[in-house]
Amino acid sequence: MYLTMNRFKVVPAQAAAFEEMWTSRDSHLKEVPGFRSFALMKGPEREDHVLYASHTLWEDEASFVAWTKSEAFRKAHGGAKASTGMYLGPPELEIFEAVQVLE
């Protein structure tokens, strides 16, 4: 199991637009081999930002890397420039490999 997580510090006035951008887009993930699940999580609101995290669960690292090189990835990220002014800094990518999984 392989988890990729992006943290986004979203300007409070842009929080609704950020959520709409994510919930209305077609991520194309369901067609990608090795994809397991996705969640967009909303965290605490601070004075200057609202924290969000996207979690994508993959079968393994190779599946994630293949996705980043795929047409589905390019389609899913095609409108990224439209979000200029929405964030305090760039998203922070964090990657985790499973040590123990309980189901």
Side-chain angles (χ1 to χ4, degrees):
M1 186 178 307
Y2 197 74
L3 173 76
T4 59
M5 180 176 83
N6 271 302
R7 291 177 184 253
F8 302 89
K9 291 181 179 177
V10 177
V11 174
Q14 295 291 323
F18 176 81
E19 291 179 19
E20 173 65 23
M21 177 180 69
W22 279 84
T23 58
S24 66
R25 76 181 190 153
D26 184 354
S27 69
H28 302 276
L29 285 169
K30 290 184 178 181
E31 64 196 52
V32 179
F35 167 74
R36 293 291 174 247
S37 66
F38 172 83
L40 179 64
M41 311 295 287
K42 184 177 181 178
E45 186 169 337
R46 306 287 188 227
E47 189 174 308
D48 64 343
H49 71 276
V50 179
L51 182 63
Y52 288 87
S54 66
H55 292 186
T56 310
L57 191 59
W58 299 93
E59 184 175 309
D60 52 31
E61 181 181 9
S63 298
F64 168 70
V65 171
W67 174 69
T68 64
K69 298 175 182 181
S70 72
E71 182 62 25
F73 180 88
R74 285 186 286 285
K75 287 179 186 176
H77 292 85
K81 293 188 193 258
S83 59
T84 303
M86 190 173 281
Y87 310 113
L88 294 182
E92 296 177 38
L93 176 64
E94 298 174 325
I95 297 174
F96 302 88
E97 191 168 357
V99 174
Q100 179 183 23
V101 178
L102 301 173
E103 295 185 24

